[in-house]
Amino acid sequence: MTILGVVVDNLTEDEALVQIDALIVAGGPHHIVTVNPEFVMEAQVNPAFRSVLAHADIATADGFGLLLAARYLGTPLRGRVTGVELTLRLAERAAAQGHRMFLLGAAPGVAEATAVVLQARYPGLIVAGAFAGSPQPRHEPFLRQMIAAARPHILLVAYGHPQQDLWIARNQPFLQVPLAVGVGGTFDYLSGRVQRAPALIRRLGLEWVYRLARQPSRWRRIMNAVPCFAWRVITQGRRTYRS
Ligand code: UDP
């Protein structure tokens, strides 16, 4: 389905994983995006990002606001697939299947700490590399070399939106990683650097209240993701959805 012109695949977490397995078997480079309301808002004003989202192989719905918007637009989404859950499930499968994982992004040391957490949780997981790097284009030749030498099957990129997905789109033609996934703040959560909202709060769709309380500096982003997004869906959603 589309929400304000952005395609979201109506998949449960299990279905997404079945499709991901098929992509890895099929070979060639693939890109998975984990869409939330901020992505949709950014896509309204950023044509390059809109195009990258449109060309992704799978676009999961990561964000409670998307579930509400989809219901309002008349096509309820069957599941939510967050960056954190997707990372955990991918790591579990990678450990079982011998696939190598590369963790790129977040503040220095956070990708490495996330690798330690994942390897403790999924013994046998091969982390081919973990590095903060930078989303700036001038760092790309170095990062490409580093990742190409590590030959990962799965590349997780945590530069936040829209940088992480623009980064993947620019670099996948050179890297040809079977699966590249933009995972936002996932490493911050998994490494324990940032506290995730309790499961009940997440289920109630109140994660944004929790984030606002703990990270008030994000208020502008939260305004964009919650009231501005809701207003846009209500005023333009059905028109865009039909077109
Ligand atoms: N980040 C980074 N380099 C940058 C900008 C961001 O490594 O130049 C990282 C940041 O440290 C954080 C992640 O990108 O780990 C973005 O997290 P956020 O919660 O903002 O992600 P989103 O809400 O976009 O999923």
Side-chain angles (χ1 to χ4, degrees), residues 36 38-39 105-107 132 135 158-161 163 183-185 188 193 211 218 221:
N36 66 31
E38 283 185 84
F39 281 51
Y159 285 144
H161 78 284
Q163 292 96 317
V183 294
D188 294 337
R193 193 169 178 267
R211 281 190 125 180
R218 290 176 76 108
R221 288 184 58 173

Side-chain angles (χ1 to χ4, degrees), residues 133-163:
S134 159
Q136 290 172 24
R138 68 191 162 90
H139 293 280
E140 284 175 16
F142 171 70
L143 290 178
R144 271 185 213 154
Q145 260 185 8
M146 184 188 226
I147 295 165
R151 292 185 303 112
H153 299 87
I154 301 169
L155 170 64
L156 306 180
V157 184
Y159 285 144
H161 78 284
Q163 292 96 317

Side-chain angles (χ1 to χ4, degrees), residues 57-140:
D57 296 281
I58 301 178
T60 73
D62 170 2
F64 193 81
L66 290 187
L67 271 69
L68 292 180
R71 196 179 303 162
Y72 174 78
L73 295 171
T75 310
L77 288 168
R78 291 167 31 252
R80 181 179 174 193
V81 187
T82 67
V84 173
E85 310 307 336
L86 191 59
T87 297
L88 292 175
R89 298 285 300 266
L90 287 174
E92 184 182 24
R93 285 164 109 85
Q97 296 167 355
H99 287 154
R100 289 186 301 278
M101 224 176 201
F102 196 110
L103 279 59
L104 178 69
V110 175
E112 290 86 337
T114 305
V116 170
V117 169
L118 290 176
Q119 284 180 314
R121 199 160 165 163
Y122 305 112
L125 174 68
I126 304 166
V127 175
F131 187 59
S134 159
Q136 290 172 24
R138 68 191 162 90
H139 293 280
E140 284 175 16

Side-chain angles (χ1 to χ4, degrees), residues 144-224:
R144 271 185 213 154
Q145 260 185 8
M146 184 188 226
I147 295 165
R151 292 185 303 112
H153 299 87
I154 301 169
L155 170 64
L156 306 180
V157 184
Y159 285 144
H161 78 284
Q163 292 96 317
Q164 62 192 18
D165 297 296
L166 295 171
W167 191 97
I168 292 172
R170 281 195 308 271
N171 290 284
Q172 260 297 44
F174 303 95
L175 295 172
Q176 301 281 313
V177 175
L179 207 70
V181 192
V183 294
T186 294
F187 299 170
D188 294 337
Y189 292 124
L190 291 180
S191 66
R193 193 169 178 267
V194 174
Q195 188 88 34
R196 207 177 175 202
L200 178 65
I201 291 185
R202 294 204 304 272
R203 267 204 302 280
L204 291 173
L206 294 175
E207 200 165 357
W208 63 276
V209 179
Y210 185 87
R211 281 190 125 180
L212 189 58
R214 294 192 77 104
Q215 297 172 279
S217 58
R218 290 176 76 108
W219 72 269
R220 205 184 290 274
R221 288 184 58 173
I222 290 168
M223 285 296 286
N224 196 34

